[in-house]
Amino acid sequence: MVPWSLVSPASRGIGFALARRILQTTNAPLVATARKDRTGTREKLLDGLDVDETRLTMLELDVLDEDTISNAAAACKERFPTPSNHLQLALLVPGILHAEKSPAQIDASSALATLRTNTLGPMLLLKHFSPLLPKKRHVQPGEHDLQGLPSTATMAIMSARVGSISDNALGGWYSYRASKAGVNQIVKTFDNHLRTVSGDKAMSVALHPGTVKTEFSKDFWGGVKEGKLFETEFAAERLVDVVRNVGIEGRGRCWDWEGKEVPP
């Protein structure tokens, strides 16, 4: 029995830090994806880590190109044939941001790109990778096999607090808010599906990392309260811990980096 992990994409930012965290704190094989320069990304992911380099598989994947998603999933199925192996942890983190402050700033092409990347991208990842999660009939891995991994197979998708409708007191960021609200709905809907096909052996959650010091959020660092702008390594550590600790009772919901629920 070989449970394995997936981080997509893992070429930069939070995804890069999450992939390194998985390599450092688990014994699981890891599949990491990048749109380009897989060799360079692999070297950077392994740089300075005292780990078995054969655990890391790099695959090409672009969430805007379904063929690359399908091909990557097929490669994983060949490398980790079920039911003797299955996907135990997937961290799906594609994201772009166009911060419209007013309706006048909404640009159709930019908004569509946001929705395609942030919402449709994870949806297509679920489509192709969900068959690799354990089913009700599959044998559960032993505790030794799950070193550092959640006890319930988990597919976690990056969301954001601004995707919460009930928490929206400021407005703005139309396309980004909509895309992350969509992620939360997808997570709940997909988790309902997993209840049927996987029972308590697999679940889905959404994650809010806080404001992380990446190129993604660079324009907004100045407005972040002191102590609330996180390094990528800190965010990755906290998010992996949240996924490990939230438990089956937390399925289908959005959780922040502190392990607190983000309301829908």
Side-chain angles (χ1 to χ4, degrees):
M1 181 69 67
V2 180
W4 55 281
S5 297
L6 168 72
V7 177
S8 181
S11 53
R12 61 180 181 172
I14 297 178
F16 180 85
L18 285 167
R20 283 177 61 89
R21 186 68 181 172
I22 295 301
L23 287 169
Q24 290 173 296
T25 61
T26 81
N27 60 349
L30 171 67
V31 175
T33 77
R35 287 189 300 115
K36 57 185 180 180
D37 192 18
R38 286 179 292 162
T39 301
T41 301
R42 176 185 173 83
E43 291 175 354
K44 291 176 183 177
L45 285 171
L46 292 170
D47 184 38
L49 299 186
D50 183 19
V51 299
D52 179 1
E53 296 184 4
T54 64
R55 287 173 50 206
L56 177 61
T57 299
M58 288 297 310
L59 295 177
E60 178 185 352
L61 190 152
D62 181 350
V63 295
L64 300 181
D65 183 346
E66 187 173 0
D67 285 343
T68 68
I69 300 174
S70 176
N71 291 340
C76 290
K77 185 175 182 179
E78 182 177 352
R79 183 173 178 81
F80 305 105
T82 55
S84 57
N85 313 277
H86 64 254
L87 178 56
Q88 188 70 18
L89 173 62
L91 296 161
L92 311 180
V93 297
I96 60 172
L97 168 62
H98 294 284
E100 310 98 340
K101 295 181 179 179
S102 72
Q105 293 181 341
I106 297 172
D107 174 75
S109 60
S110 296
L112 182 59
T114 299
L115 292 166
R116 286 190 66 200
T117 302
N118 298 359
T119 314
L120 182 58
M123 196 184 306
L124 292 175
L125 288 167
L126 295 181
K127 172 184 175 180
H128 291 283
F129 282 94
S130 62
L132 306 181
L133 292 167
K135 306 297 189 296
K136 285 181 178 179
R137 66 182 183 276
H138 290 166
V139 177
Q140 193 79 350
E143 184 176 345
H144 176 71
D145 296 329
L146 293 175
Q147 178 183 323
L149 296 173
S151 57
T152 300
T154 304
M155 192 163 276
I157 304 177
M158 196 64 69
S159 185
R161 189 175 299 279
V162 296
S164 167
I165 295 172
S166 60
D167 190 62
N168 183 359
L170 297 177
W173 293 29
Y174 290 83
S175 60
Y176 188 72
R177 285 185 185 274
S179 71
K180 293 304 185 178
V183 164
N184 295 342
Q185 182 67 277
I186 290 166
V187 163
K188 178 62 176 178
T189 302
F190 178 59
D191 190 70
N192 287 338
H193 167 76
L194 290 177
R195 289 173 184 266
T196 300
V197 301
S198 299
D200 288 345
K201 292 183 178 178
M203 69 180 193
S204 180
V205 295
L207 298 173
H208 167 56
T211 304
V212 183
K213 198 172 183 181
T214 65
E215 287 297 317
F216 180 90
S217 63
K218 189 173 183 178
D219 292 342
F220 313 103
W221 293 354
V224 180
K225 294 180 181 179
E226 185 176 353
K228 294 297 184 180
L229 180 60
F230 305 137
E231 298 293 339
T232 54
E233 293 81 6
F234 174 82
E237 177 183 349
R238 294 299 303 125
L239 292 177
V240 171
D241 285 348
V242 168
V243 171
R244 289 182 59 196
N245 296 326
V246 69
I248 192 68
E249 64 277 1
R251 66 186 309 164
R253 292 183 273 169
C254 182
W255 301 92
D256 74 6
W257 59 276
E258 292 184 292
K260 298 177 181 178
E261 184 178 2
V262 177

